[in-house]
Amino acid sequence: RVRELAKKWRCDNADAKILATHIGINIEIDGNQYCATKKDFFDLQKSPAGFGDTALEAVSDLIKQLGYKPQKLWGHTLRSILEI
């Protein structure tokens, strides 16, 4: 779904990096993929991390690893899941 919406809205890596800055996520290149982590990242054994071919996919994967599920009403916000 992320890819579908990114294509529809013409989002790119620059947009993903802006989103990451707003919600407190770091994005870096790790090998041949992007890696997204929370600000309190320690290491891959102890901290969640998201990976993807694009920065947007990495952010999406991290959010999925954190267990975020969008809800229509009275749900947790993304910011509260990230604890920022």
Side-chain angles (χ1 to χ4, degrees):
R1 179 83 172 132
V2 169
R3 285 187 200 132
E4 175 187 333
L5 292 175
K7 182 178 178 182
K8 178 179 180 179
W9 297 332
R10 298 185 183 128
C11 296
D12 59 14
N13 285 335
D15 295 314
K17 291 175 183 177
I18 291 169
L19 170 65
T21 299
H22 285 293
I23 61 175
I25 291 176
N26 294 321
I27 299 177
E28 297 181 17
I29 297 287
D30 184 13
N32 63 349
Q33 288 194 313
Y34 286 89
C35 177
T37 59
K38 290 175 47 178
K39 297 283 184 190
D40 63 353
F41 177 79
F42 184 72
D43 67 27
L44 288 174
Q45 302 300 319
K46 298 179 183 174
S47 302
F51 291 90
D53 292 332
T54 67
L56 188 60
E57 289 174 358
V59 170
S60 176
D61 187 44
L62 172 62
I63 292 168
K64 182 179 175 183
Q65 300 298 323
L66 294 171
Y68 178 72
K69 293 185 182 2
Q71 299 176 15
K72 291 184 179 180
L73 209 51
W74 308 113
H76 295 287
T77 65
L78 179 55
R79 291 181 76 90
S80 69
I81 293 295
L82 292 170
E83 299 173 15
I84 55 175

Coordinates of all heavy atoms in Angstrom, one line a residue:
R1 N 0.8 -1.2 0.0 CA 0.0 0.0 0.0 C 0.9 1.3 0.0 O 0.5 2.2 -0.6 CB -0.9 0.0 1.2 CG -1.8 1.1 1.4 CD -3.1 1.0 0.5 NE -4.0 2.1 0.8 CZ -4.6 2.8 -0.1 NH1 -4.3 2.6 -1.4 NH2 -5.4 3.8 0.3
V2 N 2.0 1.2 0.7 CA 2.9 2.4 0.7 C 3.3 2.7 -0.7 O 3.3 3.9 -1.1 CB 4.1 2.1 1.7 CG1 5.1 3.2 1.5 CG2 3.6 2.0 3.1
R3 N 3.8 1.7 -1.4 CA 4.3 2.0 -2.8 C 3.2 2.6 -3.6 O 3.4 3.5 -4.4 CB 4.8 0.7 -3.4 CG 6.1 0.3 -2.9 CD 6.7 -0.9 -3.7 NE 7.7 -1.5 -2.9 CZ 7.7 -2.8 -2.7 NH1 6.9 -3.6 -3.2 NH2 8.7 -3.3 -1.9
E4 N 2.0 2.1 -3.5 CA 0.8 2.6 -4.3 C 0.6 4.0 -4.0 O 0.4 4.9 -4.9 CB -0.4 1.7 -3.9 CG -1.7 2.2 -4.6 CD -2.9 1.4 -4.1 OE1 -2.7 0.3 -3.6 OE2 -4.0 2.0 -4.1
L5 N 0.5 4.4 -2.7 CA 0.3 5.8 -2.3 C 1.5 6.7 -2.7 O 1.3 7.8 -3.1 CB 0.0 5.9 -0.8 CG -1.3 5.3 -0.4 CD1 -1.5 5.3 1.1 CD2 -2.5 5.9 -1.1
A6 N 2.7 6.2 -2.5 CA 3.8 7.0 -2.9 C 3.8 7.3 -4.4 O 4.1 8.5 -4.8 CB 5.1 6.3 -2.5
K7 N 3.5 6.4 -5.2 CA 3.4 6.6 -6.6 C 2.3 7.6 -7.0 O 2.5 8.5 -7.7 CB 3.2 5.3 -7.4 CG 3.1 5.4 -8.9 CD 3.0 4.1 -9.5 CE 2.9 4.2 -11.0 NZ 2.7 3.0 -11.7
K8 N 1.1 7.4 -6.3 CA 0.0 8.3 -6.6 C 0.3 9.7 -6.2 O 0.0 10.6 -6.9 CB -1.2 7.8 -5.8 CG -2.5 8.6 -5.9 CD -3.6 8.1 -5.1 CE -4.8 8.9 -5.2 NZ -6.0 8.4 -4.5
W9 N 1.0 9.9 -5.1 CA 1.3 11.2 -4.6 C 2.7 11.7 -5.0 O 3.1 12.8 -4.6 CB 1.2 11.3 -3.1 CG -0.2 11.0 -2.5 CD1 -1.4 11.2 -3.2 CD2 -0.5 10.4 -1.3 NE1 -2.4 10.8 -2.4 CE2 -1.9 10.3 -1.2 CE3 0.3 10.0 -0.2 CZ2 -2.6 9.8 -0.1 CZ3 -0.4 9.4 0.9 CH2 -1.8 9.4 0.9
R10 N 3.3 10.9 -5.9 CA 4.7 11.2 -6.4 C 5.7 11.5 -5.3 O 6.4 12.5 -5.3 CB 4.6 12.4 -7.3 CG 3.7 12.1 -8.6 CD 3.7 13.2 -9.5 NE 2.9 12.9 -10.6 CZ 1.9 13.7 -11.1 NH1 1.7 14.9 -10.5 NH2 1.1 13.3 -12.1
C11 N 5.7 10.7 -4.2 CA 6.6 10.8 -3.1 C 7.9 10.2 -3.5 O 8.0 9.2 -4.3 CB 6.1 10.1 -1.9 SG 4.6 10.8 -1.2
D12 N 9.0 10.8 -3.0 CA 10.3 10.2 -3.3 C 11.1 10.2 -2.0 O 10.6 10.4 -0.9 CB 11.0 11.0 -4.4 CG 11.2 12.5 -4.0 OD1 11.0 12.9 -2.8 OD2 11.5 13.3 -4.9
N13 N 12.4 9.9 -2.1 CA 13.3 9.7 -0.9 C 13.4 11.1 -0.1 O 13.4 11.0 1.1 CB 14.7 9.3 -1.3 CG 14.7 7.8 -1.6 OD1 13.8 7.0 -1.2 ND2 15.6 7.4 -2.4
A14 N 13.3 12.2 -0.8 CA 13.4 13.5 -0.2 C 12.1 13.7 0.7 O 12.2 14.1 1.9 CB 13.5 14.6 -1.2
D15 N 11.0 13.2 0.2 CA 9.7 13.3 1.0 C 9.8 12.4 2.2 O 9.4 12.8 3.3 CB 8.5 12.9 0.2 CG 8.3 13.9 -1.0 OD1 8.3 15.1 -0.7 OD2 8.1 13.4 -2.1
A16 N 10.4 11.2 2.1 CA 10.5 10.3 3.2 C 11.4 10.8 4.2 O 11.2 10.7 5.4 CB 11.0 8.9 2.7
K17 N 12.5 11.5 3.8 CA 13.4 12.1 4.8 C 12.8 13.3 5.6 O 13.0 13.4 6.7 CB 14.7 12.5 4.1 CG 15.5 11.3 3.6 CD 16.7 11.7 2.8 CE 17.4 10.5 2.3 NZ 18.6 10.8 1.4
I18 N 11.9 14.0 4.9 CA 11.2 15.1 5.6 C 10.2 14.5 6.6 O 10.2 14.9 7.8 CB 10.4 16.0 4.6 CG1 11.4 16.8 3.7 CG2 9.4 16.9 5.3 CD1 10.8 17.5 2.5
L19 N 9.5 13.4 6.2 CA 8.6 12.7 7.2 C 9.4 12.2 8.4 O 9.0 12.4 9.5 CB 7.9 11.6 6.5 CG 7.2 10.6 7.4 CD1 6.0 11.3 8.1 CD2 6.7 9.4 6.7
A20 N 10.6 11.6 8.1 CA 11.4 11.0 9.1 C 11.8 12.1 10.1 O 11.8 11.9 11.3 CB 12.6 10.3 8.5
T21 N 12.2 13.3 9.6 CA 12.6 14.4 10.5 C 11.5 14.8 11.4 O 11.7 15.0 12.6 CB 13.1 15.6 9.7 OG1 14.2 15.2 8.9 CG2 13.5 16.7 10.5
H22 N 10.3 14.8 10.9 CA 9.1 15.3 11.6 C 8.7 14.3 12.7 O 8.2 14.7 13.8 CB 7.9 15.6 10.7 CG 8.0 16.8 10.0 ND1 8.0 18.1 10.6 CD2 8.2 17.1 8.7 CE1 8.1 19.0 9.7 NE2 8.3 18.4 8.5
I23 N 8.9 13.0 12.5 CA 8.4 12.0 13.4 C 9.6 11.4 14.2 O 9.4 10.5 15.0 CB 7.6 10.9 12.8 CG1 8.4 10.1 11.7 CG2 6.3 11.5 12.2 CD1 7.6 8.9 11.1
G24 N 10.8 11.9 14.1 CA 11.9 11.5 14.9 C 12.6 10.1 14.5 O 12.9 9.3 15.4
I25 N 12.7 9.9 13.2 CA 13.4 8.7 12.7 C 14.6 9.1 12.0 O 14.7 10.1 11.2 CB 12.4 8.0 11.8 CG1 11.2 7.4 12.6 CG2 13.1 6.8 11.0 CD1 10.2 6.7 11.7
N26 N 15.7 8.3 12.1 CA 16.9 8.4 11.4 C 16.8 7.5 10.1 O 16.4 6.4 10.2 CB 18.1 8.0 12.2 CG 18.4 8.9 13.4 OD1 18.2 10.1 13.3 ND2 18.7 8.3 14.5
I27 N 17.3 8.0 9.0 CA 17.4 7.2 7.8 C 18.9 7.3 7.3 O 19.5 8.3 7.2 CB 16.5 7.7 6.7 CG1 15.1 7.7 7.1 CG2 16.7 6.9 5.4 CD1 14.1 8.3 6.1
E28 N 19.4 6.1 7.1 CA 20.8 6.0 6.6 C 20.9 4.9 5.5 O 20.0 4.0 5.5 CB 21.8 5.7 7.7 CG 21.8 6.7 8.8 CD 22.8 6.4 9.9 OE1 23.7 5.5 9.7 OE2 22.7 7.0 11.0
I29 N 21.9 4.9 4.8 CA 22.2 3.8 3.8 C 23.0 2.7 4.6 O 23.9 3.0 5.3 CB 23.0 4.3 2.6 CG1 22.2 5.3 1.8 CG2 23.4 3.1 1.7 CD1 21.1 4.8 1.0
D30 N 22.5 1.5 4.4 CA 23.2 0.3 5.0 C 23.4 -0.7 3.9 O 22.5 -1.4 3.5 CB 22.4 -0.3 6.2 CG 23.1 -1.4 6.9 OD1 24.3 -1.6 6.7 OD2 22.5 -2.1 7.7
G31 N 24.6 -0.8 3.4 CA 24.9 -1.6 2.3 C 24.2 -1.1 1.1 O 24.4 0.1 0.7
N32 N 23.3 -1.9 0.5 CA 22.6 -1.4 -0.7 C 21.1 -1.0 -0.4 O 20.3 -0.9 -1.3 CB 22.6 -2.5 -1.8 CG 22.0 -3.8 -1.4 OD1 21.6 -4.0 -0.2 ND2 21.8 -4.6 -2.4
Q33 N 20.8 -0.9 0.9 CA 19.4 -0.6 1.3 C 19.4 0.6 2.2 O 20.4 1.0 2.9 CB 18.7 -1.7 2.0 CG 18.4 -2.9 1.1 CD 17.4 -3.8 1.7 OE1 17.6 -4.2 2.9 NE2 16.3 -4.2 1.0
Y34 N 18.2 1.2 2.3 CA 18.0 2.3 3.3 C 17.6 1.6 4.6 O 17.0 0.6 4.6 CB 16.9 3.2 2.9 CG 17.3 4.2 1.8 CD1 17.1 3.8 0.5 CD2 17.8 5.4 2.1 CE1 17.5 4.7 -0.5 CE2 18.2 6.3 1.1 CZ 18.0 5.9 -0.2 OH 18.4 6.8 -1.2
C35 N 18.1 2.2 5.7 CA 17.7 1.7 7.1 C 17.1 2.8 7.9 O 17.7 3.9 7.9 CB 19.0 1.2 7.7 SG 18.8 0.6 9.4
A36 N 16.0 2.6 8.5 CA 15.3 3.6 9.3 C 15.3 3.1 10.8 O 15.0 1.9 11.0 CB 13.9 3.8 8.8
T37 N 15.7 4.0 11.7 CA 15.7 3.6 13.1 C 15.2 4.8 13.9 O 15.2 5.9 13.5 CB 17.2 3.3 13.6 OG1 18.0 4.5 13.3 CG2 17.8 2.1 12.8
K38 N 14.7 4.4 15.1 CA 14.3 5.5 16.1 C 15.6 6.2 16.6 O 16.7 5.7 16.5 CB 13.6 4.9 17.3 CG 12.2 4.3 16.9 CD 11.5 3.6 18.0 CE 11.5 4.3 19.3 NZ 10.8 3.6 20.4
K39 N 15.4 7.3 17.2 CA 16.5 8.1 17.7 C 17.3 7.4 18.8 O 18.5 7.6 19.0 CB 16.1 9.5 18.3 CG 15.4 10.4 17.3 CD 16.5 11.0 16.4 CE 15.8 12.0 15.4 NZ 16.6 12.5 14.4
D40 N 16.6 6.5 19.6 CA 17.3 5.7 20.6 C 17.9 4.4 20.2 O 18.2 3.5 21.0 CB 16.3 5.5 21.8 CG 15.1 4.7 21.4 OD1 14.9 4.3 20.2 OD2 14.3 4.3 22.3
F41 N 18.1 4.3 18.9 CA 18.7 3.0 18.3 C 20.0 2.7 19.0 O 20.9 3.5 19.2 CB 18.9 3.2 16.8 CG 19.6 2.0 16.2 CD1 18.8 0.9 15.9 CD2 20.9 2.0 15.9 CE1 19.4 -0.2 15.2 CE2 21.5 0.9 15.3 CZ 20.7 -0.2 14.9
F42 N 20.1 1.4 19.4 CA 21.4 0.9 20.0 C 22.1 0.0 19.1 O 23.2 0.3 18.7 CB 21.1 0.2 21.3 CG 22.3 -0.3 22.1 CD1 23.1 0.6 22.7 CD2 22.6 -1.6 22.1 CE1 24.2 0.2 23.4 CE2 23.7 -2.1 22.8 CZ 24.5 -1.1 23.4
D43 N 21.5 -1.1 18.7 CA 22.1 -2.0 17.7 C 21.0 -2.9 17.1 O 19.9 -2.9 17.7 CB 23.3 -2.9 18.2 CG 22.9 -3.9 19.3 OD1 21.7 -4.4 19.3 OD2 23.7 -4.2 20.1
L44 N 21.3 -3.6 16.0 CA 20.2 -4.4 15.4 C 19.7 -5.6 16.2 O 18.6 -6.1 16.0 CB 20.7 -5.0 14.0 CG 20.8 -3.9 12.9 CD1 21.5 -4.5 11.7 CD2 19.5 -3.3 12.6
Q45 N 20.5 -6.0 17.2 CA 20.0 -7.1 18.1 C 19.0 -6.6 19.1 O 18.2 -7.4 19.6 CB 21.2 -7.7 18.8 CG 22.3 -8.2 17.9 CD 21.8 -9.3 17.0 OE1 21.0 -10.2 17.4 NE2 22.2 -9.3 15.7
K46 N 19.1 -5.3 19.5 CA 18.3 -4.8 20.6 C 17.2 -3.8 20.2 O 16.4 -3.5 21.0 CB 19.2 -4.2 21.7 CG 20.1 -5.2 22.3 CD 21.0 -4.6 23.4 CE 21.9 -5.7 23.9 NZ 22.9 -5.1 24.8
S47 N 17.4 -3.2 19.0 CA 16.5 -2.1 18.6 C 15.8 -2.4 17.3 O 16.4 -3.0 16.4 CB 17.4 -0.9 18.4 OG 18.1 -0.5 19.6
P48 N 14.6 -2.0 17.2 CA 13.9 -2.2 15.9 C 14.5 -1.4 14.8 O 15.0 -0.3 15.0 CB 12.4 -1.8 16.2 CG 12.5 -0.9 17.4 CD 13.7 -1.3 18.1
A49 N 14.5 -1.9 13.6 CA 15.0 -1.2 12.4 C 14.2 -1.6 11.2 O 13.7 -2.7 11.1 CB 16.5 -1.4 12.2
G50 N 14.0 -0.7 10.3 CA 13.3 -1.0 9.0 C 14.2 -0.8 7.9 O 15.1 0.0 7.8
F51 N 14.0 -1.7 6.9 CA 14.9 -1.7 5.7 C 14.0 -1.6 4.4 O 12.9 -2.1 4.4 CB 15.8 -2.9 5.7 CG 16.8 -3.0 6.7 CD1 16.5 -3.5 8.0 CD2 18.1 -2.4 6.5 CE1 17.5 -3.6 9.0 CE2 19.0 -2.4 7.5 CZ 18.7 -3.0 8.8
G52 N 14.6 -1.1 3.4 CA 13.9 -1.0 2.1 C 14.8 -0.5 1.0 O 15.8 0.1 1.3
D53 N 14.3 -0.7 -0.2 CA 15.1 -0.2 -1.4 C 15.0 1.3 -1.5 O 15.8 1.9 -2.2 CB 14.5 -0.9 -2.7 CG 14.9 -2.3 -2.7 OD1 15.9 -2.8 -2.1 OD2 14.1 -3.1 -3.4
T54 N 13.9 1.9 -0.9 CA 13.8 3.3 -0.8 C 13.7 3.8 0.6 O 13.4 3.0 1.5 CB 12.5 3.8 -1.6 OG1 11.4 3.3 -0.9 CG2 12.5 3.3 -3.0
A55 N 13.9 5.1 0.8 CA 13.8 5.6 2.2 C 12.3 5.4 2.7 O 12.1 5.1 3.9 CB 14.2 7.1 2.2
L56 N 11.4 5.6 1.9 CA 10.0 5.5 2.2 C 9.7 4.0 2.7 O 9.0 3.8 3.7 CB 9.0 5.9 1.1 CG 7.6 6.0 1.4 CD1 7.3 7.0 2.5 CD2 6.8 6.4 0.2
E57 N 10.2 3.1 1.9 CA 10.0 1.7 2.3 C 10.6 1.3 3.6 O 10.1 0.6 4.4 CB 10.5 0.7 1.2 CG 9.7 0.7 0.0 CD 10.3 -0.1 -1.2 OE1 11.4 -0.6 -1.0 OE2 9.7 -0.1 -2.2
A58 N 11.8 1.9 3.9 CA 12.5 1.7 5.2 C 11.7 2.3 6.3 O 11.5 1.6 7.4 CB 13.9 2.3 5.1
V59 N 11.2 3.5 6.2 CA 10.3 4.1 7.2 C 9.1 3.2 7.5 O 8.7 2.9 8.6 CB 10.0 5.5 6.9 CG1 8.9 6.1 7.8 CG2 11.2 6.4 6.9
S60 N 8.5 2.8 6.4 CA 7.3 2.0 6.5 C 7.5 0.7 7.2 O 6.8 0.2 8.1 CB 6.7 1.7 5.1 OG 5.6 0.8 5.1
D61 N 8.7 0.0 6.9 CA 9.1 -1.2 7.5 C 9.3 -1.0 9.0 O 8.9 -1.8 9.9 CB 10.3 -1.8 6.9 CG 10.6 -3.2 7.4 OD1 9.7 -4.0 7.5 OD2 11.8 -3.5 7.6
L62 N 10.0 0.1 9.4 CA 10.2 0.4 10.8 C 8.9 0.6 11.6 O 8.7 0.0 12.6 CB 11.1 1.6 11.0 CG 11.2 2.1 12.4 CD1 11.9 1.1 13.3 CD2 11.9 3.4 12.5
I63 N 8.0 1.3 11.0 CA 6.7 1.5 11.6 C 6.0 0.2 11.8 O 5.3 0.0 12.8 CB 5.9 2.6 10.8 CG1 6.6 3.9 10.9 CG2 4.4 2.6 11.3 CD1 6.0 5.0 10.0
K64 N 6.0 -0.7 10.8 CA 5.4 -2.0 10.9 C 6.1 -2.8 12.0 O 5.4 -3.5 12.8 CB 5.6 -2.7 9.6 CG 4.9 -4.1 9.5 CD 5.1 -4.7 8.1 CE 4.6 -6.1 8.1 NZ 4.8 -6.7 6.8
Q65 N 7.4 -2.7 12.1 CA 8.2 -3.5 13.2 C 7.8 -3.0 14.6 O 7.7 -3.8 15.5 CB 9.7 -3.3 13.0 CG 10.3 -3.7 11.7 CD 10.1 -5.2 11.5 OE1 10.2 -6.0 12.5 NE2 9.9 -5.6 10.3
L66 N 7.4 -1.7 14.7 CA 7.0 -1.1 16.0 C 5.5 -1.5 16.3 O 5.1 -1.2 17.4 CB 7.1 0.4 15.9 CG 8.6 0.9 15.8 CD1 8.6 2.4 15.6 CD2 9.4 0.5 17.1
G67 N 4.8 -2.1 15.4 CA 3.5 -2.6 15.6 C 2.4 -1.6 15.4 O 1.3 -1.7 15.8
Y68 N 2.7 -0.5 14.7 CA 1.7 0.6 14.5 C 0.7 0.1 13.5 O 1.0 -0.4 12.4 CB 2.4 1.8 13.9 CG 1.4 2.9 13.6 CD1 0.7 3.6 14.6 CD2 1.1 3.2 12.3 CE1 -0.2 4.6 14.3 CE2 0.1 4.2 12.0 CZ -0.5 4.9 13.0 OH -1.4 5.9 12.7
K69 N -0.6 0.2 13.9 CA -1.7 -0.1 13.0 C -2.6 1.1 13.0 O -3.2 1.5 14.1 CB -2.4 -1.3 13.5 CG -1.6 -2.6 13.3 CD -2.5 -3.8 13.7 CE -1.8 -5.1 13.7 NZ -0.4 -5.3 13.4
P70 N -2.8 1.8 11.9 CA -3.7 3.0 11.9 C -5.1 2.6 12.3 O -5.6 1.6 11.9 CB -3.6 3.5 10.5 CG -3.0 2.4 9.7 CD -2.3 1.5 10.6
Q71 N -5.7 3.5 13.1 CA -7.1 3.3 13.5 C -7.9 4.5 13.2 O -7.4 5.7 13.3 CB -7.1 3.0 15.0 CG -6.3 1.7 15.3 CD -6.2 1.5 16.8 OE1 -7.0 2.1 17.6 NE2 -5.3 0.6 17.2
K72 N -9.1 4.4 13.0 CA -10.0 5.5 12.6 C -10.3 6.4 13.9 O -10.3 7.6 13.7 CB -11.3 5.0 12.0 CG -11.1 4.4 10.7 CD -12.4 4.0 10.1 CE -12.2 3.4 8.7 NZ -13.4 3.0 8.1
L73 N -10.5 5.8 15.0 CA -11.0 6.6 16.1 C -10.3 6.1 17.4 O -10.2 4.9 17.6 CB -12.5 6.4 16.2 CG -13.3 7.5 16.8 CD1 -13.0 8.9 16.2 CD2 -14.8 7.2 16.7
W74 N -9.9 7.0 18.2 CA -9.3 6.7 19.5 C -8.1 5.8 19.5 O -7.7 5.2 20.5 CB -10.3 6.1 20.5 CG -11.6 6.9 20.5 CD1 -12.8 6.5 20.1 CD2 -11.8 8.3 21.0 NE1 -13.7 7.5 20.3 CE2 -13.1 8.6 20.9 CE3 -10.9 9.2 21.6 CZ2 -13.6 9.9 21.2 CZ3 -11.4 10.4 21.9 CH2 -12.7 10.7 21.8
G75 N -7.5 5.7 18.4 CA -6.3 4.9 18.3 C -5.0 5.7 18.6 O -5.1 6.9 18.8
H76 N -3.9 5.0 18.8 CA -2.6 5.6 19.0 C -2.2 6.4 17.8 O -2.4 5.9 16.7 CB -1.6 4.6 19.4 CG -1.8 3.9 20.7 ND1 -1.7 4.5 21.9 CD2 -2.3 2.6 20.9 CE1 -2.0 3.6 22.8 NE2 -2.4 2.5 22.3
T77 N -1.6 7.5 18.0 CA -1.0 8.2 16.9 C 0.4 7.7 16.6 O 1.0 7.0 17.5 CB -0.9 9.7 17.2 OG1 0.1 9.9 18.3 CG2 -2.2 10.4 17.6
L78 N 0.9 7.9 15.5 CA 2.2 7.4 15.1 C 3.2 8.0 16.1 O 4.1 7.3 16.5 CB 2.5 7.8 13.7 CG 3.9 7.4 13.1 CD1 4.1 5.9 13.3 CD2 4.0 7.9 11.7
R79 N 3.1 9.3 16.4 CA 4.1 9.9 17.4 C 4.0 9.2 18.7 O 5.1 9.0 19.3 CB 3.8 11.4 17.5 CG 4.1 12.2 16.3 CD 3.8 13.6 16.5 NE 4.8 14.2 17.3 CZ 5.9 14.8 16.8 NH1 6.1 14.8 15.5 NH2 6.8 15.4 17.5
S80 N 2.9 8.7 19.2 CA 2.8 8.1 20.5 C 3.5 6.7 20.4 O 4.1 6.2 21.4 CB 1.4 8.0 21.0 OG 0.6 7.1 20.3
I81 N 3.3 6.0 19.3 CA 4.0 4.7 19.1 C 5.5 4.8 19.1 O 6.2 4.0 19.7 CB 3.5 4.0 17.8 CG1 2.0 3.7 17.9 CG2 4.3 2.8 17.5 CD1 1.7 2.6 18.9
L82 N 6.0 5.9 18.5 CA 7.4 6.1 18.4 C 7.9 6.7 19.8 O 9.1 6.9 19.9 CB 7.7 7.1 17.3 CG 7.5 6.5 15.9 CD1 7.6 7.7 14.9 CD2 8.5 5.4 15.6
E83 N 7.0 7.1 20.7 CA 7.4 7.6 22.0 C 8.2 8.9 21.8 O 9.3 9.0 22.5 CB 8.1 6.6 22.8 CG 7.3 5.4 23.1 CD 8.1 4.2 23.8 OE1 9.1 4.5 24.3 OE2 7.5 3.1 23.8
I84 N 7.8 9.8 21.0 CA 8.5 11.1 20.9 C 7.6 12.2 21.3 O 6.4 12.1 21.5 CB 9.0 11.3 19.4 CG1 7.8 11.2 18.4 CG2 10.1 10.3 19.1 CD1 8.2 11.5 17.0

